[in-house]
Amino acid sequence: MDVDMNDGKDRIAPMFKDRHVLITGGTGFLGKALIEKLLRCCPEIGQIYLLVRAKKGKAPRQRLEDIFANPLFDTVKGIRGLDALLSQCTVVGGDVTEPDLALSSEDRNLLTDNISIVYHCAATIRFDETLKKAVMLNTRGTKLMIDLAKQCKKLEMFGYVSTSYCHLNEKLLLEKPYAPPADPHKVIKAVEWLEESVVDGMTKKILGDCPNTYAYTKALAEALVVESMSEIPAVIFRPSIVIPTWREPIPGWTDNINGPVGLLIGAGKGVIRSMYCNSDGYGDYLPVDFAVSAMCVCTWNYITGALLLSRDHARNIYHLVSSAEIKVSWEGIIERGKWIVSNKIPLNGVLWYPGGTMKRTRWEHTLSAFFFHWIPAFLIDCLLYCFGYKPILWRIHQRIAKGFEVFEYYANNQWDFDNATVLYLRTIINEEEKVKFKIDAGGVEIQEYFENCIRAARWYILKETDDTIPAARRHMRVMWWVDKICKTIIYGGLIYYIGKALYSLLFASVF
């Protein structure tokens, strides 16, 4: 029964009571945050089933234990205890890239008999993934999950986690279906039949105007979900660039260096000193705790209908975005990051004092990268080799350059997103729900957020403890002087030789 929003009681968590949920991609960034949110804020939820494959010699159950070992779960473990969390989560061995999801008949029956809600989060987010692998995971994997959902006797919602950056020909993306770049069924059949080397040779032609396999295969997967909406209750979540937590349960938490965090670390370490980018442009970012809160609120509205007192199936595509409220330019990200690392939270082992600029033309970036990326990388690696260490900087810059190939497309184009459905949801949740399941930007301080991101990256990604900060500050001061001295020598030398050349040119004829 729905409770009037004026009563001020949370209606979202009770909706999950005794409902069994299936999550794919639970070992990923978004998946971990979703599991933690449900366990902490919806403790009366039924069983959470996690489709997990064996990986690197670890059985699915071991991978669940690894998930709970992440600092992200420290708060909920302190509240409820590890044993309670483990008992509420059931690992099901499977693989979305395999036929029939590699499920045993017993596990398939377990899921189809019990599942009410599905969150399909599993995907490869590598933009440079081979087309065959991307199709098998992102597109065919979604088709197989839809097939499973059709068999679920108690299904109330199938939630597909897409991306707001999968229809890149639309500069203003609306909360509606869009035509796919190709027939997903035909693409799946072709990729299944052809060898990977053959698909690789055809990839550019198949993608057409689409810049990468990620966007292409996610758009195909969306078409499959839209097609299924006549048979199952399905919704599409389109989050933008999912970034570290704003506040819950740990400010700035992340488990990867994708997106802005990688840029902050690279610039903070003095490794990245040039980028080809429209510095005034901006991306759309969404803290992961906002993303999972929005997914919970959308699920509640879809299943209960909130104020409508019946299922709200008319709203089935949700844009989980932020740029209508907060716009941070690419240059703003880098400049904030450099200031924070230089003045407040220095990183260990800085190779050079943070600096550099964004270049508006490719030739400027190429020239700068040659002098400030590749030459220093070669010289430092030579020194490392001479002292008996393994050269690493050249390899790091190769990875950075490869990442820039993808990044440049997004950094030099601009998209905006309509999120009317999520704005509507803000009007029907009460004050308690707004705090417990935050889906607005109120109270977000950008500078504080970036500081938390860098601090958390220092702890959880770089494994740099707080007791190393004083030494890092001393090293940063040394690198500041090194930077100034080197620039003085270089610029002084250039002025000297240019002046000498001009003197010779001007006065040679006189004598």
Side-chain angles (χ1 to χ4, degrees):
M1 179 182 295
D2 289 297
V3 179
D4 191 289
M5 67 180 290
N6 294 322
D7 290 346
K9 297 179 181 178
D10 176 22
R11 299 160 294 169
I12 298 170
M15 184 277 298
F16 283 97
K17 183 178 179 180
D18 298 328
R19 282 185 165 96
H20 300 296
V21 176
L22 171 63
I23 298 175
T24 69
T27 59
F29 178 50
L30 179 67
K32 286 193 192 83
L34 178 59
I35 295 168
E36 193 278 338
K37 183 72 176 182
L38 292 173
L39 290 172
R40 178 167 50 85
C41 295
C42 310
E44 293 184 308
I45 192 172
Q47 203 68 9
I48 298 177
Y49 294 88
L50 304 173
L51 187 69
V52 180
R53 63 188 174 95
K55 184 178 181 181
K56 296 181 180 179
K58 289 189 176 182
R61 180 68 181 186
Q62 289 176 291
R63 297 190 68 194
L64 175 63
E65 293 171 357
D66 289 344
I67 290 174
F68 287 132
N70 192 288
L72 177 71
F73 290 87
D74 287 350
T75 299
V76 70
K77 282 191 293 187
I79 297 170
R80 301 187 56 197
L82 178 59
D83 290 342
L85 305 186
L86 288 171
S87 66
Q88 201 164 15
C89 294
T90 298
V91 173
V92 177
D95 189 338
V96 296
T97 65
E98 295 294 328
D100 297 322
L101 302 170
L103 286 171
S104 67
S105 57
E106 293 81 5
D107 284 340
R108 181 172 284 271
N109 290 334
L110 176 68
L111 297 177
T112 56
D113 288 343
N114 292 286
I115 294 301
S116 297
I117 300 168
V118 176
Y119 293 113
H120 178 39
C121 308
T124 173
I125 60 172
R126 286 183 54 185
F127 289 168
D128 60 346
E129 186 65 87
T130 64
L131 181 59
K132 186 178 179 76
K133 289 181 180 178
V135 168
M136 298 299 273
L137 178 49
N138 293 350
T139 308
R140 193 182 76 163
T142 301
K143 180 180 182 298
L144 296 176
M145 285 300 301
I146 291 171
D147 293 341
L148 176 67
K150 289 177 180 178
Q151 298 173 7
C152 292
K153 301 177 180 66
K154 300 178 180 179
L155 185 71
E156 294 180 275
M157 192 197 81
F158 175 88
Y160 172 62
V161 179
S162 181
T163 171
S164 58
Y165 286 95
C166 69
H167 301 287
L168 299 173
N169 58 314
E170 302 290 336
K171 294 302 182 182
L172 173 62
L173 196 73
L174 304 176
E175 291 175 306
K176 69 174 188 177
Y178 286 91
D183 184 329
H185 299 284
K186 291 181 179 178
V187 173
I188 290 170
K189 287 181 180 179
V191 166
E192 287 176 332
W193 180 66
L194 294 171
E195 294 291 333
E196 185 166 0
S197 59
V198 177
V199 178
D200 288 344
M202 301 167 58
T203 295
K204 287 187 177 181
K205 185 174 182 180
I206 293 172
L207 294 184
D209 295 334
C210 196
N212 55 68
T213 59
Y214 174 70
Y216 182 80
T217 54
K218 295 294 275 187
L220 294 178
E222 269 201 12
L224 294 172
V225 178
V226 171
E227 180 182 90
S228 74
M229 287 178 177
S230 61
E231 300 178 69
I232 61 173
V235 305
I236 294 173
F237 302 113
R238 288 180 182 153
S240 55
I241 304 169
V242 182
I243 56 176
T245 56
W246 170 59
R247 190 161 288 175
E248 289 188 339
I250 303 171
W253 172 84
T254 185
D255 67 351
N256 62 74
I257 58 171
N258 298 327
V261 174
L263 294 179
L264 292 175
I265 292 176
K269 290 279 188 178
V271 175
I272 297 177
R273 306 190 68 78
S274 176
M275 295 168 58
Y276 168 46
C277 176
N278 175 13
S279 57
D280 298 327
Y282 57 88
D284 192 294
Y285 309 106
L286 187 72
V288 69
D289 47 338
F290 283 34
V292 296
S293 289
M295 289 169 66
C296 292
V297 176
C298 294
T299 302
W300 162 74
N301 181 64
Y302 187 82
I303 290 177
T304 69
L307 299 182
L308 300 178
L309 303 180
S310 63
R311 293 183 173 189
D312 187 3
H313 283 195
R315 294 178 175 86
N316 53 19
I317 297 179
Y318 302 90
H319 282 177
L320 314 183
V321 296
S322 68
S323 60
E325 298 171 273
I326 298 176
K327 290 182 173 68
V328 184
S329 68
W330 298 111
E331 186 174 40
I333 292 174
I334 295 298
E335 291 305 315
R336 278 187 170 90
K338 288 191 298 187
W339 186 89
I340 293 167
V341 170
S342 301
N343 296 279
K344 294 198 70 173
I345 310 171
L347 304 178
N348 291 343
V350 170
L351 293 174
W352 205 265
Y353 189 76
T357 59
M358 293 185 172
K359 309 300 187 298
R360 290 184 177 271
T361 61
R362 188 180 297 279
W363 73 265
E364 287 180 287
H365 167 66
T366 301
L367 189 64
S368 293
F370 177 75
F371 284 106
F372 299 113
H373 288 177
W374 297 109
I375 290 179
F378 176 76
L379 295 175
I380 291 172
D381 276 355
C382 286
L383 287 174
L384 289 173
Y385 180 79
C386 292
F387 285 108
Y389 296 100
K390 185 178 180 181
I392 59 168
L393 199 54
W394 187 272
R395 181 165 49 86
I396 289 173
H397 273 296
Q398 285 180 317
R399 292 179 62 184
I400 290 172
K402 191 174 184 181
F404 277 174
E405 290 178 9
V406 175
F407 170 76
E408 286 170 4
Y409 175 84
Y410 293 92
N412 292 290
N413 287 282
Q414 191 65 64
W415 295 270
D416 291 292
F417 310 98
D418 170 75
N419 64 334
T421 300
V422 174
L423 294 178
Y424 160 76
L425 294 180
R426 294 181 189 177
T427 68
I428 63 171
I429 58 176
N430 60 45
E431 293 305 314
E432 182 177 340
E433 292 160 349
K434 288 177 181 178
V435 173
K436 196 172 181 180
F437 298 92
K438 187 170 177 58
I439 57 172
D440 64 78
V444 176
E445 294 291 338
I446 299 301
Q447 187 72 13
E448 177 189 37
Y449 175 72
F450 275 95
E451 288 181 19
N452 288 334
C453 286
I454 292 173
R455 186 178 291 107
R458 204 179 191 280
W459 292 339
Y460 304 122
I461 303 298
L462 302 175
K463 309 300 181 185
E464 299 177 2
T465 55
D466 285 350
D467 61 332
T468 64
I469 288 179
R473 285 202 179 102
R474 290 193 295 271
H475 180 67
M476 187 67 76
R477 285 195 293 269
V478 170
M479 296 312 297
W480 185 87
W481 282 107
V482 170
D483 180 68
K484 297 303 179 187
I485 291 169
C486 288
K487 284 180 178 177
T488 300
I489 292 172
I490 292 170
Y491 293 141
L494 286 173
I495 292 171
Y496 172 77
Y497 283 107
I498 291 172
K500 186 177 180 181
L502 288 174
Y503 180 85
S504 299
L505 183 65
L506 292 172
F507 296 102
S509 59
V510 176
F511 299 100

